[in-house]
Amino acid sequence: MLRLSSAAPARAIANIARSQYALKQQQRYLADIKFPQSTPTSTKPGEIKTPGNGIGSKGPLSEPQPVRKSASPVTPTSASPSSPTKVVPPTPAGPKTQTAPPVVAPTSSSAVKTETVTPSSPAEKPVAAAATPPPPPPVKPASDSAPPPPPGSNPVKKTHRLRNFIITLTLLTSLSFGGGVFYSLKSDNFHDFFTEYIPFGEEAVLYFEEREFRRRFPNALSRLMPAKEALPKVTIPRSSGATWRNYEEEKPKTTDVGKHGPHISAKGTKDQQAERAELTGGPKANSSEQKPAEATVLGEKTGPTGKDSAKVEGVTKLGKASGGSNYSISPVEMESVNDPVVQDLVKVVNTIISLVNNSGSAKAFEDVISSAKSELSHLNAQIATIKGDLEKATEEKLKSKDVEFASAAQSLVSKVNSEVSDLEHKWKEEFEHEREKIIQSYRERLGNELERSHKIAEQRLRNELLEQAIEMKRKFIGEIEERVETERNGRLGKLQELTNSVDELSKLSTSWADVIDANLKTQQMHVALEAVRAAYESPEQPKPFLREVAALKEVAGDDGVVSAAIASINPRAYQEGVPTQTQLVDRFRRVAEEVRKAALLPEDAGFAGHASSWLLSKVLFRKQGLAQGNDVESILTRTETFLQEGDIDSAAREMNQLSGWSRTLAKDWLKEARLLLEVQQAVDVIAAEARLQSLRVQERN
Amino acid sequence: MTSTTSNTVAKPRPASEGLLNEKWDHCLANLLVKSTLGAGFGIIFSVLLFKRRAFPAWVGLGFGAGRGYAECDREFKGAAGGVTKTVGERLKRSS
């Protein structure tokens, strides 16, 4: 409690002292009010009633305190918030200036502590109150705490408290928000935090970032925006590009095959055409307009193609025209016009004449034209004479040339003839020469051929001879061999027979050996079997006859029947031996006695049951022979009878019918009987097998 | 002779026909022993507590004999060679 850190301790101690002092003061005051009952400055008489402790009523009590200087330190100790206001009235007289509220705040905490401390020593109070004198030292309040503020300033402050608080709160909030925005612009980490958790933080930060961005790049956005508007508009017409539709001609053709038309009959063509006209009014009109145009074009075209005819026509027309007029110059007419030049000239003149005729002033040009005509005829005559002269000259020249050529040809022919005869002579000579040569070569070849054929013939002859000799030799050898063979076969055949008979003999002997072996085997088996039988039937039983059985098995070898029969025997039988029949009978008598004792036992019998059964069995009547019935007594009687007859098998069967205690008692006997029966059965089987084997051996013979 | 055979063979178990007799032997011996014991206790009690009166001896004998009888009965009932019909039913009921 008192262990306060740093600067606090001194103040705390002072406070404690102060509070103690205040307590004393209070107590003194209490004593005062108790005794005089009336105080000059007491305002609240109701509060004075609770002075019992002097601790809980400190606050209210301090107010009316007459001693002003001591009251100020006490006030903080009061827990009530209204204390400062109430403290004010007594304090104004204080010499020291206020600063009280700030000072009060720290002291209040320490005062509370003192409160807790003070109750620890309640006993001291009265003592102190009694001992210490009431006047407080005047120095203490002056040094300790400042007097409260002036009365005028305090109420104003109080009224503005909430407003101040709100203002400071908003200021602080906005400041921190602004700081947050600023810092979030600086640090990415804080930016994330700020935008995530502070309301409106993201918007604010974004706004500032946007502003920053705009300031830095003033034309960043303007560059993007107008680019779109500036793009020229491209409009694609509706009917552009390729379509799926076939191209339709402007003049729609309506050809309905089903309709009446020229392809069906020639009759309705007109109607058709009318229809068509109706259907296609415009186009029809067009075509009708076009047709005349075409006709005109054709007329024009035909004009140039038929030029000559046009000329002739023109000439005829001229003639007509001249004929038509009053006077006209007759055109030039010449029959013997061969030269084309003259002809052209005539044509020119004729055209001129026609022109003149057409012009109407034919008379004016008559002279000129007539002169021209005469000139023309003259020219024609001159050309004719020139042509005649030329023809004569050429004829003469031709004749002279003909003679020359004939002489030259004759000389050439003679030359050619002489050359041909020379060639003929030469070829004849060469031919002769060649023929002689060929004849000679043929002769040579003939001789060669002859020689060769001779040689071949000789060779063939020799070969034939040799072949004959070889054949003779072969025949000779063959004969000799045949003879030798026959000789040999005569002796060797006998040898073969001998070997065959020897083989047969050996076979016979081996088969006989088999038979002998089998015989031996069967005999051995019989012997072994007899040994076994003797062993188990001997009166010295029980005695093991393992060796006998082993011998039997070995003798039997791989005989399945024998091995199976031996396997069927309980091994205990030949390991420990089997009882003889007499032994069995003997034991049966003992067993029967015991079984009879338990014959009358009730089911699940106890001591009493057994006792009664034992007692009653003594008085039972004995049966004889093959008794009827399934009771124990009759079963026993039957078994005894069977045993006496030597039928162990039936006896065992009978005993097997027992049940309960009697069966339990007869169990051992049954087991022994079964052992004996098993052995007997096995031995019987083996004996049958042995007999069968011996029969087989006999059959083989 | 008998001793040698018994030595060599070392009889594993008695013959089946002797089973009942053996049980009887056991039972009777047990009965005798138990009843003697009971009677002995009865006599002792009678001497010590009952001023030599007779009835405690008879009571002791009866207790011993009864005990022997009960044991015997159980032995006979359980050894009937396999489970008999009634026993099987009883077992079924109990389980």
Side-chain angles (χ1 to χ4, degrees), chain B:
Chain B
M1 182 68 190
T2 49
S3 67
T4 54
T5 50
S6 68
N7 279 348
T8 50
V9 177
K11 275 186 181 172
R13 59 193 181 84
S16 66
E17 62 261 28
L19 268 175
L20 211 51
N21 290 339
E22 208 176 332
K23 275 198 201 312
W24 273 117
D25 287 351
H26 271 285
C27 268
L28 290 179
N30 199 15
L31 194 68
L32 191 69
V33 167
K34 291 265 157 81
S35 42
T36 349
L37 259 175
F41 271 101
I43 286 161
I44 288 164
F45 269 101
S46 76
V47 168
L48 289 179
L49 301 172
F50 298 102
K51 300 180 184 175
R52 298 198 181 181
R53 291 232 192 126
F55 75 90
W58 291 116
V59 168
L61 183 74
F63 268 104
R67 180 73 194 143
Y69 176 83
E71 281 180 11
C72 218
D73 203 39
R74 204 188 304 145
E75 205 170 331
F76 274 120
K77 272 184 181 172
V83 179
T84 53
K85 199 178 168 189
T86 45
V87 172
E89 275 172 8
R90 207 188 295 156
L91 279 171
K92 232 181 241 174
R93 246 178 282 141
S94 71
S95 68

Side-chain angles (χ1 to χ4, degrees), chain A residues 200-251:
Chain A
F200 306 114
E202 194 169 6
E203 283 88 341
V205 173
L206 263 178
Y207 171 74
F208 278 105
E209 277 178 348
E210 186 77 15
R211 268 192 64 188
E212 179 79 358
F213 179 73
R214 292 220 171 161
R215 197 173 55 78
R216 250 191 235 175
F217 310 102
N219 53 354
L221 290 170
S222 62
R223 214 188 304 157
L224 284 170
M225 297 300 281
K228 258 186 187 173
E229 291 165 10
L231 276 170
K233 265 195 179 176
V234 178
T235 51
I236 299 163
R238 212 165 61 97
S239 60
S240 65
T243 66
W244 54 273
R245 250 184 245 205
N246 286 332
Y247 173 66
E248 275 182 37
E249 282 180 65
E250 296 222 350
K251 174 185 142 189

Side-chain angles (χ1 to χ4, degrees), chain A residues 640-653:
Chain A
E640 200 170 3
T641 318
F642 280 132
L643 278 176
Q644 280 166 358
E645 285 168 5
D647 191 353
I648 300 171
D649 188 21
S650 303
R653 278 176 210 282

Side-chain angles (χ1 to χ4, degrees), chain A residues 2-116:
Chain A
L2 294 174
R3 218 183 294 158
L4 291 168
S5 59
S6 68
R11 209 187 302 160
I13 290 159
N15 282 338
I16 291 159
R18 207 189 308 149
S19 61
Q20 276 175 353
Y21 176 73
L23 271 172
K24 281 170 191 172
Q25 288 263 321
Q26 270 183 340
Q27 280 153 5
R28 212 179 302 145
Y29 167 71
L30 281 172
D32 283 349
I33 33 175
K34 265 179 190 172
F35 294 119
Q37 283 296 347
S38 62
T39 45
T41 51
S42 71
T43 49
K44 287 179 184 175
E47 285 182 274
I48 303 162
K49 284 171 189 170
T50 58
N53 283 343
I55 303 157
S57 58
K58 261 176 221 163
L61 279 177
S62 63
E63 290 161 29
Q65 246 176 353
V67 188
R68 287 159 201 166
K69 279 153 193 176
S70 70
S72 64
V74 174
T75 46
T77 57
S78 68
S80 69
S82 61
S83 61
T85 57
K86 278 172 187 175
V87 172
V88 172
T91 45
K96 279 263 174 173
T97 54
Q98 39 98 255
T99 55
V103 177
V104 167
T107 51
S108 70
S109 63
S110 59
V112 172
K113 285 162 197 166
T114 55
E115 256 188 6
T116 52

